[in-house]
Amino acid sequence: MLTLHHLNNSRSFRILWLLEELELDYELTTYERTKAYLAPESLKKVHPLGHTPVLEVGDRALAESGFIIEYLLRHYDKEHQFKPADDNEAAWEDYTFGCILPKPRRCHS
């Protein structure tokens, strides 16, 4: 059984979308951000840092949206509907995604 721990306004929406597109059966546990736009403390019971998404697959807990997407595609997208079978084409997808993200802010001066 798959269980998605989903935080509103986060990258866990990607996983929710992919689970629906793959027409998989799953349970959904939702979490709401605080008024300060932080994840609730209750998420730390699922992930030590309180991050989402977390996808429980049996007794395993998978974290990080990119990894979870790769896992779902590898195990459930047998017809390569959402990921090309050609590794070169897949590499271009990763490259283009990296190009559209904003530059990270510096953490220190």
Side-chain angles (χ1 to χ4, degrees):
M1 177 52 137
L2 303 172
T3 301
L4 175 62
H5 295 271
H6 170 71
L7 176 65
N8 66 319
N9 298 319
S10 73
R11 290 186 178 188
S12 63
F13 186 81
R14 297 174 175 176
I15 310 308
L16 186 58
W17 168 81
L18 186 56
L19 289 168
E20 288 292 322
E21 289 293 326
L22 291 170
E23 298 179 355
L24 298 175
D25 290 327
Y26 64 95
E27 291 183 10
L28 181 64
T29 304
T30 59
Y31 302 85
E32 295 293 321
R33 292 184 178 277
T34 66
K35 289 181 181 180
Y37 206 70
L38 300 174
E41 286 294 315
S42 58
L43 261 175
K44 290 186 178 176
K45 294 176 184 172
V46 178
H47 187 286
L49 299 176
H51 291 179
T52 62
V54 172
L55 182 68
E56 292 181 18
V57 181
D59 61 349
R60 297 177 63 197
L62 310 178
E64 299 299 330
S65 64
F67 175 76
I68 295 170
I69 288 169
E70 288 294 324
Y71 176 89
L72 289 172
L73 294 177
R74 188 178 321 113
H75 289 71
Y76 298 100
D77 185 21
K78 301 300 183 192
E79 297 175 16
H80 302 285
Q81 198 175 4
F82 299 101
K83 181 176 174 133
D86 180 348
D87 286 337
N88 288 327
E89 199 172 327
W92 275 106
E93 288 176 356
D94 288 341
Y95 171 76
T96 55
F97 178 71
C99 290
I100 63 171
L101 289 177
K103 291 182 180 180
R105 293 183 181 157
R106 294 180 68 175
C107 296
H108 51 71
S109 35

